[in-house]
Coordinates of all heavy atoms in Angstrom, one line a residue:
K883 N 41.4 52.5 -61.3 CA 39.9 52.8 -61.1 C 39.3 51.8 -60.2 O 38.4 52.1 -59.4 CB 39.3 52.7 -62.5 CG 37.8 53.1 -62.6 CD 37.3 53.2 -64.0 CE 35.9 53.8 -64.0 NZ 35.4 53.9 -65.4
R884 N 39.7 50.5 -60.1 CA 39.2 49.5 -59.2 C 39.5 49.9 -57.9 O 38.6 49.8 -57.0 CB 39.7 48.2 -59.5 CG 39.3 47.6 -60.9 CD 39.6 46.1 -60.9 NE 40.9 45.8 -60.7 CZ 41.8 45.7 -61.7 NH1 41.4 45.9 -63.0 NH2 43.1 45.4 -61.5
T885 N 40.8 50.4 -57.6 CA 41.0 50.8 -56.1 C 40.3 52.1 -55.7 O 39.8 52.0 -54.6 CB 42.6 51.1 -56.2 OG1 43.3 50.0 -56.6 CG2 43.0 51.4 -54.8
T886 N 40.2 53.0 -56.5 CA 39.5 54.2 -56.1 C 38.0 54.0 -55.9 O 37.4 54.5 -55.1 CB 39.7 55.4 -57.2 OG1 39.4 54.9 -58.4 CG2 41.2 55.8 -57.1
A887 N 37.5 53.0 -56.8 CA 36.0 52.6 -56.5 C 35.8 52.0 -55.2 O 34.8 52.3 -54.6 CB 35.6 51.8 -57.7
R888 N 36.7 51.1 -54.8 CA 36.5 50.4 -53.5 C 36.6 51.4 -52.4 O 35.8 51.4 -51.4 CB 37.6 49.4 -53.4 CG 37.4 48.1 -54.1 CD 38.2 47.0 -53.7 NE 39.6 47.2 -53.9 CZ 40.3 46.8 -54.9 NH1 39.7 46.2 -55.9 NH2 41.6 47.1 -55.1
M889 N 37.6 52.4 -52.5 CA 37.7 53.4 -51.5 C 36.4 54.3 -51.4 O 35.9 54.6 -50.3 CB 38.9 54.3 -51.7 CG 40.2 53.6 -51.7 SD 41.6 54.6 -52.3 CE 41.5 56.0 -51.2
Y890 N 35.9 54.6 -52.6 CA 34.7 55.5 -52.7 C 33.4 54.7 -52.0 O 32.8 55.4 -51.1 CB 34.3 55.7 -54.1 CG 33.0 56.4 -54.4 CD1 32.8 57.7 -54.2 CD2 31.9 55.6 -54.6 CE1 31.6 58.3 -54.5 CE2 30.6 56.1 -54.9 CZ 30.6 57.5 -54.8 OH 29.3 58.2 -55.0
Y891 N 33.3 53.5 -52.3 CA 32.1 52.8 -51.8 C 32.2 52.6 -50.2 O 31.3 52.7 -49.4 CB 31.8 51.5 -52.5 CG 31.2 51.6 -53.8 CD1 31.9 51.4 -54.9 CD2 29.9 52.1 -53.9 CE1 31.3 51.6 -56.2 CE2 29.4 52.3 -55.1 CZ 30.1 52.1 -56.3 OH 29.5 52.2 -57.5
R892 N 33.5 52.3 -49.7 CA 33.7 52.2 -48.3 C 33.4 53.5 -47.6 O 32.8 53.5 -46.6 CB 35.1 51.7 -48.0 CG 35.3 50.2 -48.4 CD 36.6 49.7 -47.8 NE 36.9 48.3 -48.1 CZ 37.7 47.9 -49.1 NH1 38.3 48.8 -49.9 NH2 37.8 46.6 -49.4
L893 N 33.9 54.6 -48.2 CA 33.7 55.9 -47.6 C 32.2 56.2 -47.6 O 31.7 56.7 -46.5 CB 34.5 57.0 -48.4 CG 34.3 58.4 -47.9 CD1 34.6 58.6 -46.4 CD2 35.0 59.4 -48.9
M894 N 31.5 55.9 -48.7 CA 30.1 56.3 -48.8 C 29.2 55.4 -47.7 O 28.3 55.9 -47.1 CB 29.5 56.1 -50.1 CG 30.1 57.0 -51.2 SD 29.8 58.8 -50.7 CE 31.4 59.3 -50.3
C895 N 29.6 54.2 -47.5 CA 28.9 53.4 -46.5 C 29.0 54.0 -45.2 O 28.0 54.0 -44.4 CB 29.4 52.0 -46.5 SG 28.9 51.0 -47.9
R896 N 30.2 54.6 -44.8 CA 30.4 55.1 -43.5 C 29.7 56.5 -43.4 O 29.1 56.8 -42.4 CB 31.9 55.4 -43.3 CG 32.6 54.2 -42.9 CD 34.1 54.5 -42.5 NE 34.8 53.3 -42.0 CZ 34.8 53.0 -40.8 NH1 34.1 53.8 -39.9 NH2 35.5 51.9 -40.3
L897 N 29.7 57.3 -44.4 CA 29.0 58.6 -44.4 C 27.5 58.5 -44.5 O 26.8 59.2 -43.8 CB 29.5 59.5 -45.5 CG 31.0 59.8 -45.5 CD1 31.3 60.8 -46.6 CD2 31.4 60.5 -44.1
V898 N 27.0 57.7 -45.3 CA 25.5 57.6 -45.5 C 24.8 56.8 -44.3 O 23.7 57.0 -44.0 CB 25.2 56.9 -46.8 CG1 23.7 56.7 -47.1 CG2 25.7 57.8 -47.9
G899 N 25.7 56.0 -43.7 CA 25.2 55.2 -42.6 C 24.3 54.1 -43.0 O 23.4 53.6 -42.2
R900 N 24.5 53.5 -44.3 CA 23.6 52.4 -44.7 C 24.5 51.7 -45.7 O 25.3 52.2 -46.4 CB 22.4 53.0 -45.5 CG 21.4 52.0 -46.0 CD 20.2 52.6 -46.6 NE 19.4 53.3 -45.7 CZ 18.5 52.7 -45.0 NH1 18.2 51.4 -45.0 NH2 17.8 53.5 -44.1
D901 N 24.2 50.4 -45.7 CA 24.9 49.6 -46.7 C 24.6 49.9 -48.1 O 23.4 50.0 -48.6 CB 24.6 48.1 -46.5 CG 25.2 47.6 -45.2 OD1 26.3 48.1 -44.7 OD2 24.8 46.5 -44.7
I902 N 25.7 50.2 -48.9 CA 25.5 50.5 -50.3 C 26.2 49.4 -51.1 O 27.3 49.0 -50.8 CB 26.2 51.8 -50.7 CG1 25.5 53.0 -49.9 CG2 26.2 52.1 -52.2 CD1 26.3 54.2 -50.0
P903 N 25.5 48.8 -52.1 CA 26.1 47.7 -52.8 C 27.4 48.1 -53.6 O 27.4 49.1 -54.2 CB 25.0 47.5 -53.9 CG 23.7 48.0 -53.3 CD 24.2 49.2 -52.5
F904 N 28.4 47.4 -53.2 CA 29.6 47.6 -53.8 C 29.6 47.4 -55.4 O 29.0 46.4 -55.7 CB 30.8 46.8 -53.2 CG 31.4 47.5 -52.0 CD1 30.6 48.0 -51.0 CD2 32.8 47.6 -51.8 CE1 31.2 48.6 -49.9 CE2 33.4 48.2 -50.7 CZ 32.6 48.7 -49.8
D905 N 30.3 48.1 -56.1 CA 30.3 47.9 -57.6 C 29.0 48.0 -58.2 O 28.8 47.3 -59.3 CB 31.1 46.6 -57.9 CG 32.5 46.5 -57.5 OD1 33.1 47.5 -57.6 OD2 32.9 45.4 -57.0
A906 N 28.1 48.7 -57.7 CA 26.8 49.0 -58.3 C 26.8 50.5 -58.6 O 26.7 51.4 -57.7 CB 25.7 48.7 -57.3
A907 N 26.8 50.9 -59.9 CA 26.8 52.2 -60.3 C 25.4 52.7 -60.7 O 24.5 52.7 -59.7 CB 27.7 52.4 -61.5
D908 N 25.1 53.0 -61.8 CA 23.8 53.5 -62.3 C 23.1 52.6 -63.2 O 22.1 53.0 -63.9 CB 24.0 54.9 -63.0 CG 24.4 56.0 -62.0 OD1 23.8 56.1 -61.0 OD2 25.4 56.7 -62.3
F909 N 23.4 51.3 -63.1 CA 22.6 50.3 -63.9 C 21.8 49.6 -62.8 O 22.3 48.8 -62.1 CB 23.5 49.3 -64.5 CG 22.8 48.3 -65.3 CD1 21.7 48.5 -66.0 CD2 23.4 47.0 -65.4 CE1 21.0 47.5 -66.8 CE2 22.8 46.0 -66.2 CZ 21.6 46.3 -66.8

């Protein structure tokens, strides 16, 4: 889960074109 979470946030930063806080979910 930790590994896939890192991959998800790195991918989202590239696609969204904006820095997204790593390890920040819905809290």
